[in-house]
Amino acid sequence: MRLFEMILLLCTASSIIIYFFGKTRLSIKALSGWVSLAILAVHLLTEGYRWPLLPLYFIVLLFSALSLYQYYKKPPLKKRRPVHTALISSILAAVLFISGGLMVLFPFFQLPEPTGQLSVGTQTLHLIDKSRQEIFAADRNPNRKRELMVQLWYPAEAVSGDPAPFISSGSKMIKAVAQSIGMPAFLLNHLNYIPSNSYKDAAIAKINSTYPLVILNHGFSSSRVYQTSYAENLASHGYIVASIDHTYSTAATVFPDGRTTYTDTSQDMLDTSDTYRDKLGGEWTKDILFTLDQLEKMNKGTVPSIFKGKIDLNHVGVFGHSLGGAASYDAAYDPRIKAGMDLDGSLFNYRNKHGFNKPFMFMMSDQGFNMYKRVIDKQYFSDQELKELDTTPEQYKRDVDNMKAMFKHYQHVVRQGGEVVYVQGTKHNNFMDQQLFSPLITRLLGITGSIDGERSIEIVNRYVLDFFDKHLKNAGGYLVTGPNPNYREVKFISSTFSKLNQT
């Protein structure tokens, strides 16, 4: 809740009490109504309108009009009966309560503040891979090339002015976000006013000559904006972070000319076989490696940018959520990438591959690990349970076989010194900033788990930073090597996979 929203709510509640139950003079009652009107004007001018406050706005305008009328009306209005006073005040109090409740359901939140000492700059790149045809576009135009929007976060010099907006694409992006969680767009109009902790096109910090690079990937039908807090936190600790919008697999991607693409990678655009996920994920891996190619050119100066000579290409990491985590694992086979993390993502293109010999970490949701644990313990679903899950025994058998093949990769990672953990109380969407949009509603709808949203973001940020500090900066590593009393929700389960019998 913003400052003037809170003041307006408290002032209006006081006005109701003064007006109906106070024994003050009429001029004092009128003044309380006018003060509320003045606060409303300041709120609208400085903070902007929000739909949950419409009932509150109505009460303020009603009281202001009534105060003016009573103050100047001669003779004064007749005294109300106590029953009328009680009824009217109760209705207004109920309306005020509804407005306050809506503000709680749809809060004006702040993104978690980065924990590093450095300011954060950001800029967005429009990249075109002229070597690849865009296979997801509906028009199937063979001349259409793969286009990406990539947002960079980086350590910045002293900054000034207002930070960049959390969602810079405005109404198009907010409409897509609302559709992705099944809400009308106007319910999320407050996202227009949420600031980030980053400053657009700020000068890159001079404290170090170069900075390690981390490439970040969102989940399917998600967006790079949902991982903003992770990117900002890494940048504040001295990393350059490149977050990719994987076109036609996002809630919305808005290009500089205003063109907007949405999730359009339906199976029939590729084929209807079991290799769909492999083909889709394979395109994401190509996106990652192409982005890395372009950043190499920027670092050399063949593509003009502020990052010339600033990217430490000997220390490159990759991580992501869901399909973006799986793509991070797949991209980590590239020798330029030194370490990676997968946040609750099931792998693709793993059946005929051996593992790699480099640091990697899997961080699962409680929900995801419980699904795997059932297979590990051979507690398979009954036919009735499968029917309730709207799947068939044949499909479930394929899923179990795929999980077992995936487990071999987890096993290999552990044997190479990597870790597998899960976070108690989390579900799949607890690894995104989306959980901050309406924490109460997402929890009630089962979109997120029982863990507090800010706590889950803190945990992921701490472990992501500690992992990359250890493997890209040769520092840290005190969290990712074993249980920590400050983060009891994080359960290390590497032994579950290292001892797993795959027969």
Side-chain angles (χ1 to χ4, degrees):
M1 193 179 297
R2 293 173 290 181
L3 175 62
F4 286 105
E5 290 179 355
M6 186 182 301
I7 294 174
L8 184 62
L9 185 65
L10 295 174
C11 188
T12 305
S14 300
S15 296
I16 293 175
I17 295 171
I18 291 171
Y19 187 86
F20 286 103
F21 304 105
K23 295 183 179 180
T24 55
R25 291 178 299 174
L26 187 61
S27 59
I28 300 299
K29 293 182 178 182
L31 180 62
S32 69
W34 297 340
V35 169
S36 294
L37 185 63
I39 295 171
L40 172 60
V42 173
H43 155 68
L44 292 175
L45 289 172
T46 61
E47 296 177 334
Y49 128 89
R50 281 223 290 144
W51 76 266
L53 277 71
L54 288 176
L56 180 59
Y57 299 159
F58 170 76
I59 293 176
V60 171
L61 295 174
L62 176 65
F63 262 87
S64 300
L66 191 59
S67 298
L68 284 169
Y69 179 78
Q70 283 197 297
Y71 186 71
Y72 291 107
K73 177 71 175 177
K74 303 295 183 181
L77 295 176
K78 295 180 180 180
K79 188 175 181 180
R80 291 177 299 276
R81 295 179 179 178
V83 66
H84 292 162
T85 297
L87 178 62
I88 295 171
S89 60
S90 296
I91 292 173
L92 291 175
V95 172
L96 201 63
F97 180 80
I98 290 171
S99 189
L102 290 172
M103 292 164 71
V104 172
L105 287 175
F106 301 95
F108 185 90
F109 62 89
Q110 296 286 342
L111 285 173
E113 187 175 348
T115 59
Q117 298 299 312
L118 300 172
S119 298
V120 180
T122 186
Q123 62 177 238
T124 305
L125 308 176
H126 176 208
L127 304 179
I128 302 175
D129 186 350
K130 296 180 180 179
S131 69
R132 276 197 293 161
Q133 177 188 344
E134 178 55 79
I135 65 173
F136 300 129
D139 60 11
R140 309 291 184 88
N141 183 347
N143 296 319
R144 187 183 300 280
K145 302 303 180 182
R146 181 71 167 166
E147 296 182 64
L148 301 173
M149 295 301 297
V150 177
Q151 188 164 358
L152 300 178
W153 284 268
Y154 53 90
E157 285 293 302
V159 294
S160 61
D162 295 326
F166 169 48
I167 296 180
S168 60
S169 303
S171 59
K172 288 183 178 180
M173 184 64 201
I174 290 172
K175 181 179 178 181
V177 168
Q179 288 176 343
S180 70
I181 55 178
M183 292 182 181
F186 79 90
L187 295 181
L188 297 177
N189 81 302
H190 62 289
L191 297 181
N192 281 307
Y193 309 117
I194 305 293
S196 70
N197 298 295
S198 309
Y199 293 81
K200 187 176 180 181
D201 297 326
I204 193 165
K206 299 176 182 177
I207 189 170
N208 292 333
S209 58
T210 61
Y211 300 95
L213 170 67
V214 176
I215 300 176
L216 174 55
N217 303 278
H218 60 75
F220 181 76
S221 196
S222 181
S223 169
R224 70 178 190 270
V225 303
Y226 291 169
Q227 266 69 50
T228 297
S229 63
Y230 304 151
E232 290 183 334
N233 194 62
L234 282 172
S236 76
H237 286 272
Y239 290 87
I240 294 173
V241 183
S243 188
I244 305 170
D245 254 359
H246 295 278
T247 315
Y248 292 105
S249 295
T250 62
T253 297
V254 182
F255 291 99
D257 60 5
R259 286 177 299 124
T260 305
T261 62
Y262 303 96
T263 300
D264 207 9
T265 43
S266 56
Q267 289 199 21
D268 61 359
M269 285 191 153
L270 298 170
D271 58 44
T272 56
S273 72
D274 289 341
T275 61
Y276 161 69
R277 183 178 171 86
D278 291 349
K279 289 187 177 181
L280 173 61
E283 291 300 312
W284 284 35
T285 299
K286 293 175 184 176
D287 290 344
I288 295 170
L289 301 182
F290 169 70
T291 299
L292 180 53
D293 291 341
Q294 301 312 300
L295 292 169
E296 287 178 335
K297 293 177 181 178
M298 291 166 62
N299 194 56
K300 291 177 181 177
T302 53
V303 173
S305 78
I306 66 171
F307 300 99
K308 182 180 178 179
K310 290 294 184 179
I311 306 175
D312 181 358
L313 292 170
N314 292 318
H315 295 89
V316 178
V318 62
F319 80 112
H321 171 237
S322 193
L323 187 62
S328 298
Y329 182 82
D330 196 48
Y333 282 89
D334 189 289
R336 294 173 294 178
I337 295 173
K338 306 305 180 185
M341 282 186 73
D342 177 345
L343 306 179
D344 209 36
S346 299
L347 304 182
F348 59 80
N349 280 334
Y350 55 85
R351 295 171 191 83
N352 299 315
K353 282 186 176 180
H354 296 290
F356 43 68
N357 299 326
K358 63 181 66 175
F360 203 87
M361 183 172 183
F362 293 97
M363 176 174 274
M364 300 179 186
S365 67
D366 197 340
Q367 178 188 41
F369 176 63
N370 284 334
M371 180 181 65
Y372 290 156
K373 187 73 163 56
R374 191 158 185 157
V375 174
I376 291 169
D377 293 341
K378 299 181 180 179
Q379 296 176 353
Y380 302 127
F381 290 106
S382 67
D383 288 350
Q384 179 60 37
E385 288 175 316
L386 293 176
K387 186 176 181 181
E388 293 172 359
L389 292 170
D390 195 28
T391 190
T392 64
E394 293 76 20
Q395 180 60 51
Y396 182 58
K397 184 180 183 305
R398 287 196 295 270
D399 290 341
V400 169
D401 290 341
N402 288 337
M403 286 185 203
K404 289 179 178 179
M406 255 195 308
F407 293 165
K408 293 180 180 179
H409 286 263
Y410 297 163
Q411 223 173 29
H412 182 81
V413 163
V414 171
R415 289 171 179 173
Q416 294 298 318
E419 295 289 351
V420 183
V421 303
Y422 76 93
V423 185
Q424 273 190 330
T426 58
K427 288 188 175 181
H428 193 59
N429 284 14
N430 279 114
F431 292 88
M432 300 190 289
D433 292 336
Q434 183 195 45
Q435 63 190 311
L436 301 175
F437 294 178
S438 180
L440 184 57
I441 288 181
T442 54
R443 191 175 300 176
L444 289 174
L445 294 177
I447 297 173
T448 55
S450 59
I451 192 171
D452 177 75
E454 291 186 0
R455 176 62 173 175
S456 64
I457 290 175
E458 177 192 355
I459 288 171
V460 175
N461 267 328
R462 293 289 186 183
Y463 279 78
V464 166
L465 176 64
D466 191 59
F467 175 84
F468 286 120
D469 275 354
K470 179 181 180 181
H471 297 295
L472 299 185
K473 290 186 174 182
N474 197 29
Y478 64 96
L479 288 178
V480 298
T481 53
N484 187 288
N486 294 321
Y487 300 98
R488 297 183 186 278
E489 302 95 329
V490 180
K491 305 297 181 182
F492 282 73
I493 52 173
S494 300
S495 60
T496 300
F497 293 95
S498 64
K499 300 174 182 178
L500 187 62
N501 186 344
Q502 292 293 320
T503 59

